[in-house]
Amino acid sequence: MLHYFGYFAAIFIGLALGIMGGGGSILTVPVLVYLMGVNPVLSTAYSLFVVGATSVVGAAGYFRKGLVSLPTAVVFLAPSLASVFLVRKVLMPALPHELFTVGSIVFTKDLLVLVAFAVLMVVAAVSMIRSQPASAATDDRLPTQSLHYPLILGIGLVVGALTGFVGAGGGFLIIPALVLGARLPMKLAVGTSLAIIALNSLIGFMGDLSAGTPIAWSFILGFLAFALGGIVLGTYLARFIPGAKLKPAFGWFTLAMGTFILTKELLFHHA
């Protein structure tokens, strides 16, 4: 029965990505772990594939409308792709099963991934609940100002590492960076964010493949099909529903999910 909820949640993930350009991917790992019964570390690999492939479809829709800034994406991706690939190819396989102990809790690699993911969800939720930056442009034209290179490069490096470790796209970090650092209008930032998430996630997944991670293709392709349906619908609905209106409500939901994971894994975790 939980699997049916999982596939419904996959549609919701795609819907959120299509409308808001980010945020939806933060739910992929919890859905895979708690509804589909996938191992936490393996779920980060599956999440990278689902989020990457789904974001490709979403980015294509924005690209056709001229709402992807390729120069900005290239600057952002330079450090991000390197860090996400190294984390998936080198760091994740090298981590031992048991890492450290805090009180009675033994932090395994699986537990660390879930706790890190829950913390990321809380941070993402706060970002979504807060109002959009006042400096966000309201039209869709390409910006004439120069890029804030240190900010874009620095956040690109951080997003790549986070994407690699927890399997989330990082749209909640990317979009503010594009709005503030690259002065992109919101719709252009959403389209560019999807392009960055797509490449980041798929390069990270390639790191998993090259490291020999076993992939259940029939399962993950089925899950992807539902997410793709969601993002096609979300990209269409984005014409009528402003993503900024949905972000606070989605943020509160994400905050509740992150709090649930932290409570379940830390307070009720048995070594």
Side-chain angles (χ1 to χ4, degrees):
M1 179 62 74
L2 283 179
H3 281 205
Y4 293 111
F5 287 111
Y7 288 120
F8 177 78
I11 298 174
F12 185 66
I13 289 165
L15 198 64
L17 274 170
I19 294 176
M20 299 187 297
S25 64
I26 204 76
L27 296 179
T28 309
V29 167
V31 167
L32 289 170
V33 172
Y34 296 110
L35 296 182
M36 310 304 277
V38 180
N39 167 274
V41 173
L42 183 59
S43 73
T44 63
Y46 286 4
S47 176
L48 288 172
F49 177 74
V50 171
V51 170
T54 307
S55 297
V56 166
V57 175
Y62 279 87
F63 186 79
R64 286 194 296 269
K65 300 171 191 173
L67 294 176
V68 175
S69 173
L70 291 178
T72 309
V74 168
V75 173
F76 196 101
L77 283 167
S80 191
L81 291 180
S83 60
V84 70
F85 185 82
L86 287 174
V87 168
R88 298 307 300 186
K89 168 73 174 175
V90 180
L91 177 62
M92 295 301 283
L95 286 176
H97 176 66
E98 291 190 5
L99 300 169
F100 54 89
T101 302
V102 177
S104 62
I105 301 176
V106 177
F107 272 80
T108 61
K109 183 159 68 170
D110 287 349
L111 180 59
L112 183 63
V113 165
L114 286 175
V115 170
F117 200 90
V119 170
L120 188 65
M121 289 182 79
V122 171
V123 174
V126 172
S127 172
M128 287 186 279
I129 291 167
R130 290 171 55 192
S131 59
Q132 294 297 330
S135 58
T138 55
D139 59 44
D140 301 332
R141 293 171 296 177
L142 284 167
T144 55
Q145 300 97 325
S146 60
L147 299 181
H148 191 305
Y149 285 103
L151 177 65
I152 297 294
L153 290 170
I155 294 183
L157 193 65
V158 171
V159 166
L162 283 174
T163 298
F165 190 72
V166 301
F172 74 98
L173 285 174
I174 297 172
I175 290 177
L178 296 179
V179 170
L180 298 174
R183 305 293 191 270
L184 295 188
M186 185 55 67
K187 284 188 179 179
L188 195 59
V190 168
T192 306
S193 168
L194 283 170
I196 291 168
I197 290 169
L199 282 171
N200 246 355
S201 301
L202 292 176
I203 290 295
F205 183 70
M206 287 173 61
D208 278 289
L209 292 181
S210 64
T213 301
I215 305 296
W217 286 106
S218 59
F219 165 74
I220 204 62
L221 288 173
F223 191 87
L224 172 64
F226 285 90
L228 288 177
I231 200 166
V232 169
L233 179 60
T235 304
Y236 172 76
L237 291 177
R239 304 182 207 174
F240 315 105
I241 305 172
K245 299 281 187 185
L246 292 180
K247 264 185 164 51
F250 191 81
W252 285 110
F253 178 73
T254 304
L255 180 62
M257 285 291 296
T259 304
F260 164 77
I261 295 172
L262 283 174
T263 303
K264 180 181 184 299
E265 299 300 333
L266 293 181
L267 296 185
F268 299 101
H269 181 82
H270 299 288

